[in-house]
Amino acid sequence: KQGDIKIMADKMVVYYAAKLKEGKKQNTDSEDLSAFANIKNIVLLGNVLLQTSKESVTSKKGEYNLENSTLTLWDQVLL
C-alpha cells in the first residue's frame, strides 16, 4: 500500500537496484542486504488488483516500476 493505492497479487517478485554505501566494497557473499536497499521494480503475477478509494483494476500480470513511477497491467485487464 502506498498512499491511498493498494496493490495486491498472488506473487510479487521484487528487484533491487544495487547501491553501495560510501566507502563500502561490494560483497556478494554477504548476508548484509543494506547495499540493496532501493527497490527498482516489482513484477506482479496472478490475480493482480490495483485499488483506490474510488476504483479498482484487475489483471493477471503487471509491473510496478518505481524508477519512473509507472504501473503497467496486461493479460485480461478489467477496469
Side-chain angles (χ1 to χ4, degrees), residues 1-7 49-57:
K1 184 174 181 176
Q2 188 164 351
D4 70 339
I5 299 172
K6 183 176 10 177
I7 301 172
L49 171 66
L50 169 68
Q51 190 172 42
T52 69
S53 60
K54 296 182 180 182
E55 58 191 353
S56 64
V57 180

Side-chain angles (χ1 to χ4, degrees), residues 18-77:
K19 184 175 182 181
L20 296 175
K21 291 184 177 179
E22 188 175 324
K24 186 173 183 176
K25 293 182 180 178
Q26 186 172 7
N27 181 356
T28 56
D29 297 329
S30 174
E31 292 294 321
D32 179 15
L33 297 178
S34 62
F36 301 95
N38 294 329
I39 296 175
K40 182 178 177 181
N41 67 326
I42 304 170
V43 175
L44 311 162
L45 302 168
N47 296 311
V48 177
L49 171 66
L50 169 68
Q51 190 172 42
T52 69
S53 60
K54 296 182 180 182
E55 58 191 353
S56 64
V57 180
T58 61
S59 72
K60 293 293 182 185
K61 298 176 185 172
E63 181 174 0
Y64 182 33
N65 185 316
L66 282 79
E67 290 182 327
N68 59 21
S69 299
T70 59
L71 176 67
T72 305
L73 300 174
W74 66 93
D75 197 359
Q76 299 180 16
V77 178

